[in-house]
Amino acid sequence: MSARIYITSIEGNSGKSSVALGVVDTLLSEAPKVGVFRPLVRTHKERDRILTMLLKHSRSQLPYEDCVGVTYEKAHQNPRQALSTIVEKFKRLEAKCDATVIVGSDFSDVAFPTELTFNAQIAANLDAPVLLVLGGRINQRSEQRLGQLAPRTPQELAQVADLARGHLSQTHARLLGVIVNRTDREKLDETVSAIQKVLPEHVPTWAIPENQLLVAPPVAAVLESTGGELVRGSVDLLDREVLGLVVAGMSMERVLPRLQEGALLIIAADRSETLLAVTMAHEATTFPTIAAIIINGDFPLSKDVSRLLDGIDSSLPVIRVKTSTFDTVLGVLRARGVISQASPRKFDIALSSFHTHVDAELLRSRMQVDRGTVRTPIMFAYELFERAKESASHIVLPEGQDDRILRAASSILTRKIAQLTILGEPGSIRKRAAELGLHIEDATIINPTKSALLPQFASEYAKIRKHKGITYDQAHERMQDVSYFGTMMVQLGFADGMVSGAAHTTAHTIKPSFEIIKTKPGVSVVSSVFFMALADRVLVYGDCAVNPDPSAEQLADIAISSAETAAQFGVDPRVAMLSYSTGTSGSGADVDKVRIATELAQQRRPDLPFAGPIQYDAASDPNTGKSKLPGSRVAGRATVFIFPDLNTGNNTYKAVQRSANAVAVGPVLQGLNKPVNDLSRGATVTDIINTVAITAVQAGMSAAEPTTPTAGTDAHD
């Protein structure tokens, strides 16, 4: 029987969806295939938002139709028959999964007064322990403002928990644990203590604090709720959350002091001077950046005002509505903030809050999750991020002008994967991040051309490259380049590693490393690997990005470095030295190169299993491997695949990536004294996050091993 859990509440507005997201994410680290089931949905005509979000995050590839039970209407008409249908559909789904998260109803059906009892009956019939979610906020309309509700006291929450426990007990549903969501941040411990007094000792209680950003509506939701029209600005900024509301009915001088980060301003269409002033303030580094402007009323903007706004060329969204100020405010307050993949910052905060305040290991153990030997891409990523967090490494990102870097930085900082320094002009970087609704407040931002570190870095570079005739003035100029500056930060210990390449060539990224950081002692060549995360395991491919046609000696180096990198990231290295023939069946210069490389690698590292020359099928398929190379420890079960040249490696990794739907993480550079990793110029935000995490882990392991910074080869020479 697979692990299962039933998530329900006693009322609406509890934040159950964010808890469900955290539970799914927790299970993904151990269960190869996580299913999601919604026993009750509003309708079969439209897809349930929460189920759609959770299925996408689980990447289970389960059909939506297999993951829903019955509609509210069916449950009203015949509760017994509805319950039977729910059990039948759940059993069919569960058979395909290693763990299943069941998300109860939304408590939005006012005609169903026994909703908690019905959820408890479903949980009992599915034999699924209940994770009870309590809302730390209560809906008092007099206090409601942009998704904010009045806080409950710990004693009130204890009473609610006791009431819910009674309902669950009456229907023989088992209570696994309680999560209080949106709790008053100053009363987390007091809330947990109060609730535990009314629960059995074996039932844990966790509390997650309120975070305004999770309930704040994005500008897009305000645009829809007000029925407005986007007349100016960038659609890219419609995902930014609205954190406050300012009705600018006063003069310009009175409005400017009231501006706040992330605020939405409502300005009458005939107050053109206020509109202009606010737009200019948004663009100025001396004022907060705002989320959007709504201009209301039937007054048209004059041509001169429009021309002036054109000249400012601001990306700030400006929405036009025809309603009165009062009706416009009501429209804004109707906008809802929901968690979805369209809002990565909300997603990151929800997951970070859950993992910070809920004991994931205890939750998994109470659900009795058994991962087996499978290692999925999601498991690999989870382990990677956990190890990166443990290393607490400081990574420098030289390409602060790229939106992808800023989006990745926001996720990295929110999820505490690494500490960051971003290179570029601080004012423009922070302004752009704020416009995009990103969190990079904890990052250090340095402009290399104005940094106080520049003279020190120039002196160090001139010393390192003295044998090449580099003068201090030349070094000073070169150190103003972000790639050189970032590399020197790593060399001198101001950062533990560097990730670049989203906006620069591979040569621009790694050339400074060859000159400054240099290779490890005993390593003749810098090379790369990709981690190929398949459906059930992780393989390592090298070299697919750096060396066009390595010699036998270099190929041996690449094989040893790749095996060491594999071991660093939990892949047991069994190294296949690939060729177009296996064993002694073929001959020719290319085969001989691989044969010599295999012998050299085995001589240098007799503790590692190597096989070569060997064909890919003999290396990867057990039956073929047994037939072509009997008795080999590698044939049929290789985990590290070494390609004879860049052409073969690059094409193979891309073919496997596309045809097997594998997640390719990399390229990861290896052989340098300190970690520097290259991105492709088509890198996605996820690629950047993964590469930073890998670099952080490499840095953590480097710190544990004493190195000689200037030892090794100057690979650029």
Side-chain angles (χ1 to χ4, degrees):
M1 185 177 69
S2 68
R4 75 280 292 265
I5 187 170
Y6 197 104
I7 303 175
T8 190
S9 182
I10 196 169
E11 60 196 344
N13 293 315
S14 64
K16 186 169 75 269
S17 61
S18 65
V19 171
L21 176 64
V23 172
V24 169
D25 197 68
T26 295
L27 293 177
L28 286 171
S29 67
E30 294 292 334
K33 191 165 190 176
V34 176
V36 185
F37 186 70
R38 283 281 259 170
L40 290 169
V41 292
R42 290 175 177 273
T43 176
H44 289 313
K45 295 179 181 179
E46 296 179 4
R47 295 203 163 194
D48 181 82
R49 178 188 63 83
I50 295 175
L51 177 58
T52 301
M53 174 188 71
L54 296 177
L55 283 175
K56 186 173 182 180
H57 187 65
S58 73
R59 303 181 201 171
S60 60
Q61 305 299 316
L62 293 166
Y64 173 89
E65 293 73 18
D66 293 354
C67 302
V68 294
V70 301
T71 62
Y72 278 103
E73 183 180 3
K74 291 290 185 184
H76 282 307
Q77 291 172 352
N78 191 333
R80 184 180 294 273
Q81 180 60 45
L83 188 57
S84 177
T85 302
I86 288 169
V87 172
E88 180 184 347
K89 297 192 75 173
F90 173 76
K91 291 296 184 182
R92 287 203 299 265
L93 175 70
E94 185 186 37
K96 306 173 186 177
C97 305
D98 301 290
T100 311
V101 177
I102 309 154
V103 185
S105 59
D106 293 332
F107 288 82
S108 54
D109 186 16
V110 293
F112 204 167
T114 57
E115 199 163 343
L116 175 62
T117 299
F118 193 65
N119 275 278
Q121 289 174 347
I122 297 172
N125 279 273
L126 299 182
D127 193 21
V130 172
L131 180 63
L132 180 67
V133 181
L134 303 181
R137 293 289 192 271
I138 190 167
N139 188 358
Q140 294 181 354
R141 292 193 177 277
S142 61
E143 298 192 35
Q144 187 170 358
R145 177 173 169 267
L146 287 176
Q148 299 179 44
L149 306 175
R152 275 179 165 144
T153 66
Q155 291 70 33
E156 290 172 335
L157 286 163
Q159 291 174 359
V160 175
D162 195 30
L163 176 65
R165 181 192 58 79
H167 277 283
L168 295 173
S169 178
Q170 289 172 7
T171 54
H172 308 290
R174 293 177 289 129
L175 183 59
L176 181 145
V178 175
I179 292 181
V180 187
N181 198 28
R182 304 186 64 185
T183 315
D184 190 340
R185 189 173 292 274
E186 283 71 39
K187 297 182 179 179
L188 292 178
D189 293 339
E190 186 180 346
T191 298
V192 169
S193 177
I195 291 174
Q196 285 182 329
K197 290 177 182 177
V198 302
L199 296 179
E201 289 185 8
H202 68 277
V203 177
T205 300
W206 299 288
I208 301 174
E210 165 81 329
N211 189 306
Q212 184 190 357
L213 192 72
L214 290 179
V215 295
V219 175
V222 172
L223 180 64
E224 181 180 356
S225 67
T226 58
E229 175 191 5
L230 183 68
V231 294
R232 289 187 173 275
S234 171
V235 294
D236 292 339
L237 305 190
L238 295 182
D239 290 334
R240 184 177 184 182
E241 285 78 14
V242 176
L243 301 178
L245 179 62
V246 176
V247 179
M250 64 288 288
S251 65
M252 176 187 69
E253 293 84 356
R254 300 288 187 268
V255 171
L256 291 178
R258 289 172 167 78
L259 297 183
Q260 53 185 284
E261 197 69 43
L264 173 75
L265 270 76
I266 299 176
I267 302 174
D270 63 343
R271 299 302 294 264
S272 55
E273 79 288 352
T274 304
L275 172 62
L276 289 169
V278 168
T279 303
M280 293 177 69
H282 171 80
E283 295 299 323
T285 58
T286 52
F287 278 84
T289 62
I290 59 176
I293 294 173
I294 292 181
I295 51 176
N296 68 306
D298 293 328
F299 307 102
L301 293 177
S302 72
K303 291 182 180 179
D304 288 334
V305 170
S306 296
R307 186 156 58 98
L308 189 50
L309 287 170
D310 290 341
I312 296 173
D313 192 27
S314 173
S315 57
L316 175 67
V318 177
I319 299 168
R320 182 81 189 234
V321 299
K322 295 182 179 180
T323 53
S324 67
T325 300
F326 179 76
D327 289 333
T328 302
V329 170
L330 291 180
V332 172
L333 293 177
R334 283 195 298 269
R336 292 186 61 211
V338 296
I339 299 172
S340 72
Q341 272 91 353
S343 178
R345 189 177 177 190
K346 270 191 171 73
F347 226 71
D348 289 338
I349 289 175
L351 290 177
S352 178
S353 296
F354 184 90
H355 290 303
T356 299
H357 297 281
V358 176
D359 187 338
E361 186 175 346
L362 176 59
L363 181 61
R364 284 193 297 265
S365 68
R366 288 182 64 81
M367 289 183 63
Q368 299 179 335
V369 180
D370 180 16
R371 71 177 293 177
T373 59
V374 173
R375 197 181 190 201
T376 67
I378 296 176
M379 290 178 177
F380 177 71
Y382 182 87
E383 294 166 4
L384 178 62
F385 295 152
E386 288 301 301
R387 291 185 62 189
K389 291 175 188 177
E390 290 173 6
S391 73
S393 299
H394 189 142
I395 307 301
V396 57
L397 304 174
E399 299 163 319
Q401 78 287 355
D402 193 301
D403 283 356
R404 292 169 297 167
I405 294 294
L406 298 182
R407 293 183 190 279
S410 179
S411 288
I412 290 162
L413 292 167
T414 300
R415 294 153 71 176
K416 299 179 174 61
I417 294 171
Q419 302 171 57
L420 296 179
T421 289
I422 303 173
L423 301 186
E425 203 287 308
S428 62
I429 287 176
R430 293 202 183 278
K431 176 182 177 298
R432 181 57 180 169
E435 285 182 336
L436 295 170
L438 304 175
H439 163 71
I440 64 165
E441 289 85 356
D442 295 334
T444 300
I445 303 179
I446 297 175
N447 183 345
T449 64
K450 298 179 181 178
S451 172
L453 296 172
L454 187 56
Q456 178 186 354
F457 285 10
S459 295
E460 182 67 20
Y461 183 73
K463 182 171 69 175
I464 292 172
R465 302 297 289 172
K466 182 179 180 181
H467 67 291
K468 288 292 184 178
I470 297 294
T471 66
Y472 174 84
D473 289 342
Q474 291 171 322
H476 191 275
E477 181 179 354
R478 188 157 295 179
M479 279 297 114
Q480 295 180 58
D481 180 284
V482 291
S483 292
Y484 276 91
F485 191 92
T487 304
M488 189 61 78
M489 284 187 68
V490 176
Q491 172 67 8
L492 296 182
F494 292 95
D496 301 310
M498 184 178 86
V499 173
S500 188
H504 293 95
T505 65
T506 295
H508 195 172
T509 298
I510 65 177
K511 180 184 175 184
S513 304
F514 293 164
E515 297 178 2
I516 297 170
I517 293 176
K518 305 182 181 180
T519 60
K520 292 180 179 178
V523 175
S524 65
V525 63
V526 173
S527 58
S528 72
V529 295
F530 278 91
F531 289 97
M532 303 299 294
L534 305 178
D536 59 348
R537 62 193 185 280
V538 177
L539 304 177
V540 176
Y541 284 8
D543 173 9
C544 305
V546 179
N547 298 285
D549 188 18
S551 65
E553 291 76 11
Q554 290 174 327
L555 204 57
D557 257 1
I558 292 169
I560 292 170
S561 293
S562 299
E564 291 173 346
T565 300
Q568 286 177 345
F569 290 90
V571 177
D572 185 19
R574 295 185 290 273
V575 187
M577 309 290 285
L578 298 175
S579 179
Y580 59 77
S581 70
T582 297
T584 58
S585 65
S587 61
D590 291 337
V591 179
D592 291 342
K593 179 177 80 169
V594 175
R595 182 176 292 111
I596 294 169
T598 306
E599 293 170 355
L600 290 172
Q602 193 70 78
Q603 290 170 10
R604 289 174 53 191
R605 289 296 303 271
D607 56 311
L608 293 173
F610 293 89
I614 186 170
Q615 293 161 289
Y616 193 99
D617 59 346
S620 59
D621 179 66
N623 291 329
T624 307
K626 185 177 181 180
S627 171
K628 291 190 174 184
L629 210 61
S632 169
R633 290 192 294 162
V634 175
R637 50 198 298 265
T639 56
V640 180
F641 295 77
I642 305 302
F643 297 93
D645 54 60
L646 185 59
N647 181 53
T648 307
N650 193 269
N651 281 296
T652 302
Y653 105 76
K654 289 180 178 177
V656 172
Q657 181 184 26
R658 301 299 181 188
S659 61
N661 198 27
V663 177
V665 181
V668 179
L669 296 184
Q670 53 193 14
L672 289 167
N673 267 311
K674 296 186 178 183
V676 171
N677 281 311
D678 179 40
L679 300 164
S680 71
R681 275 171 284 179
T684 65
V685 171
T686 300
D687 293 335
I688 297 167
I689 295 170
N690 288 340
T691 304
V692 168
I694 281 179
T695 309
V697 173
Q698 286 179 311
M701 300 197 71
S702 270
E705 300 173 0
T707 59
T708 306
T710 56
T713 305
D714 186 333
H716 182 61
D717 289 345

